[in-house]
Amino acid sequence: MHDIRAIRLDPDAYDTGWAKRGAAPAAAELVALDEARRAAQTALQQAQSRRNEVSALIGRARASGNVEVAEALMADVELLKREIAEQTAIEAELAERLRDRLATLPNLPAPDVPPGDDETANVEVRRWGEPYADSPAKDHVDLGAALGMMDFEAAARMSGARFVVLRAGLARLERALGQFMLDVQTQEHGYVEVSPPLLVRDEAVFGTGQLPKFAEDLFHTTDGRWLIPTAEVSLTNTVAGVITDEAALPLRLTALTPCFRSEAGASGRDTRGMIRQHQFQKVELVSITTPEQSGAEHERMVECAESILKRLELPFRTVLLCTGDMGFTARKTYDLEVWLPSQKTYREISSCSNCGDFQARRMDARAKRAGEKGARFVHTLNGSGLAVGRALVAVMENYQDEGGRIAVPQALHPYMRGLTRIGAEEG
């Protein structure tokens, strides 16, 4: 959410920023709505002030016994009451229209975000590891089916497309990946583990920017709640409506949760396999910082996510997204893309974003320095540390042998109860 006062002060900066993201100019419309709202507010205050004055006159007229004057003034009060009601309704309607319009506009890109319309303008920042280029690699679907441990047909019978049933060694490997990621982030990187709600109210998904624009990408329950598309929603909302002591910042939170997405905007994309599922597990990283801390915290978060891929010895690259490829709430985003041998390309496995104060304004999350009167909006950051299902896909494809068995990465051995290779003998 943007500050209308800042838009009034520099409308061109906002229109320029929105244009970089493919959005039409909106500053003039917003300023006009705000001026109309402020005019209605002024008219309301004037009517209220006049009513108070007339009420005082009525009291004096009655005290002096001037009944006719008192009755005439009472008629004026009735007219003022109607005017107050009208102006109250007008002000409320204009304020709602302004809020609704502001809620549809994306965050402004940071100055160092490269311009561009789509992913082709993204900028590679660095690479780690060498992609394996031995014999032609089977994809994870064929590997999982041959092992008898990945069943899309059974999942489809009970749930429809974009679900999977994992069994035996692959189910254990998925669990190991999630626990390993969570342990690294909590024990080595200082994130605090949280077990958050998976069902949230409208205000929570509005606060992190999924509502109102992306409602079709979410699952909605019959009692008016939303299944979280990412633990970012729950973790970030722990500071909603709260004034935090700045001395406690940055707050670093993490959670391993199921995530649920309708994938309404991804029709026809990645329909094969586990790349794009309605239900998946993810380790989420969230940081709450001061404005001064957020830039450095963003770089740190990316390094925390990268460390998982390094420990798993999976080749990857880090990419800075262009203005046209960033998410709605982000002002700057890095994607981590892991190498998939079957596709001979890098695919996204983590997205780490600095949202500035955009989400904080939507959820009224502020911080205050000790001894100071005023509070200011915090900055919020979020990232995947990592998407567990995609990590499973990457391990399967990069650690396969000619016989279709999957070697377990060294980092996961402590989580696999002695199992170092997943093969047909497991059944």
Side-chain angles (χ1 to χ4, degrees):
M1 184 77 81
H2 297 287
D3 182 359
I4 186 59
R5 292 170 297 182
I7 296 172
R8 285 201 311 266
L9 289 172
D10 196 354
D12 290 342
Y14 280 83
D15 280 341
T16 299
W18 289 322
K20 290 178 181 177
R21 305 206 57 177
E29 172 195 354
L30 293 167
V31 170
L33 270 174
D34 188 49
E35 288 177 348
R37 179 193 65 82
R38 293 165 73 193
Q41 193 174 57
T42 298
L44 172 61
Q45 291 169 348
Q46 290 173 343
Q48 289 171 332
S49 178
R50 178 59 181 156
R51 180 195 59 189
N52 293 339
E53 292 173 359
V54 173
S55 296
L57 292 174
I58 291 172
R60 286 198 290 270
R62 284 175 172 170
S64 64
N66 198 334
V67 177
E68 291 183 1
V69 171
E71 290 179 349
L73 290 171
M74 288 176 63
D76 289 343
V77 167
E78 290 303 314
L79 292 174
L80 286 167
K81 284 182 178 178
R82 286 198 290 271
E83 183 179 352
I84 288 169
E86 290 172 2
Q87 293 300 331
T88 298
I90 292 171
E91 195 274 338
E93 179 192 358
L94 289 169
E96 183 177 5
R97 286 171 57 190
L98 180 60
R99 285 193 302 270
D100 289 349
R101 185 69 179 100
L102 283 168
T104 67
L105 293 165
N107 203 349
L108 300 186
D112 58 343
V113 172
D117 296 331
D118 54 37
E119 61 185 16
T120 60
N122 294 343
V123 176
E124 184 175 314
V125 176
R126 53 185 170 266
R127 291 191 183 199
W128 187 91
E130 290 296 325
Y132 308 122
D134 297 332
S135 57
K138 294 180 180 179
D139 74 6
H140 67 284
V141 178
D142 292 336
L143 287 167
L147 290 167
M149 301 177 193
M150 183 177 287
D151 194 338
F152 291 97
E153 292 183 2
R157 288 195 297 271
M158 68 179 88
S159 303
R162 297 189 189 270
F163 291 92
V164 66
V165 172
L166 298 178
R167 298 189 178 94
L170 289 186
R172 184 185 298 180
L173 183 59
E174 182 189 47
R175 174 160 54 95
L177 280 163
Q179 293 302 315
F180 164 69
M181 295 173 189
L182 198 60
D183 284 349
V184 169
Q185 303 302 352
T186 56
Q187 296 173 17
E188 299 181 22
H189 298 152
Y191 286 87
V192 175
E193 182 176 353
V194 178
S195 179
L198 306 182
L199 290 167
V200 295
R201 295 174 174 170
D202 290 0
E203 309 93 89
V205 277
F206 176 83
T208 47
Q210 285 81 16
L211 289 183
K213 191 175 179 65
F214 303 103
E216 67 173 6
D217 294 328
L218 309 178
F219 286 109
H220 198 216
T221 68
T222 55
D223 66 352
R225 292 180 174 88
W226 303 86
L227 287 165
I228 60 168
T230 163
E232 169 202 345
V233 177
S234 303
L235 295 178
T236 309
N237 271 279
T238 58
V239 296
V242 172
I243 298 178
T244 304
D245 183 355
E246 279 200 10
L249 303 181
L251 293 176
R252 297 181 177 122
L253 310 174
T254 187
L256 168 61
T257 67
C259 305
F260 307 90
R261 297 183 185 176
S262 72
E263 298 293 351
S267 178
R269 295 174 56 195
D270 296 313
T271 55
R272 177 177 168 85
M274 289 183 63
I275 295 295
R276 199 175 295 276
Q277 296 268 283
H278 288 312
Q279 174 186 315
F280 57 95
Q281 293 195 62
K282 182 156 66 78
V283 171
E284 185 70 7
L285 308 175
V286 162
S287 293
I288 311 298
T289 77
T290 66
E292 295 80 11
Q293 295 168 333
S294 68
E297 184 70 13
H298 192 199
E299 301 298 326
R300 182 187 188 276
M301 178 179 283
V302 174
E303 291 174 0
C304 291
E306 287 177 339
S307 71
I308 300 296
L309 292 170
K310 291 177 181 179
R311 298 273 287 275
L312 293 173
E313 300 183 74
L314 293 171
F316 70 92
R317 66 176 187 169
T318 302
V319 176
L320 176 60
L321 300 195
C322 70
T323 53
D325 200 30
M326 290 195 304
F328 178 78
T329 62
R331 70 187 304 265
K332 184 177 180 179
T333 299
Y334 291 102
D335 272 5
L336 307 187
E337 299 177 348
V338 69
W339 178 256
L340 293 188
S342 70
Q343 299 183 19
K344 294 183 172 58
T345 191
Y346 293 93
R347 295 299 303 270
E348 179 198 337
I349 195 169
S350 172
S351 190
C352 297
S353 297
N354 184 348
C355 299
D357 64 4
F358 186 83
Q359 292 179 325
R361 289 183 179 279
R362 297 171 76 98
M363 62 178 64
D364 191 24
R366 293 174 291 163
K368 180 181 177 182
R369 291 177 180 171
E372 294 188 1
K373 290 184 179 181
R376 56 181 179 160
F377 290 107
V378 299
H379 279 201
T380 62
L381 303 93
N382 64 81
S384 304
L386 307 162
V388 177
R390 293 193 180 193
L392 176 65
V393 169
V395 168
M396 290 176 66
E397 294 199 6
N398 283 282
Y399 279 84
Q400 64 181 292
D401 65 18
E402 292 182 357
R405 296 178 300 175
I406 311 297
V408 175
Q410 185 71 35
L412 299 181
H413 285 188
Y415 299 86
M416 294 295 290
R417 296 184 179 178
L419 183 65
T420 60
R421 189 174 294 273
I422 298 171
E425 68 275 7
E426 280 194 78

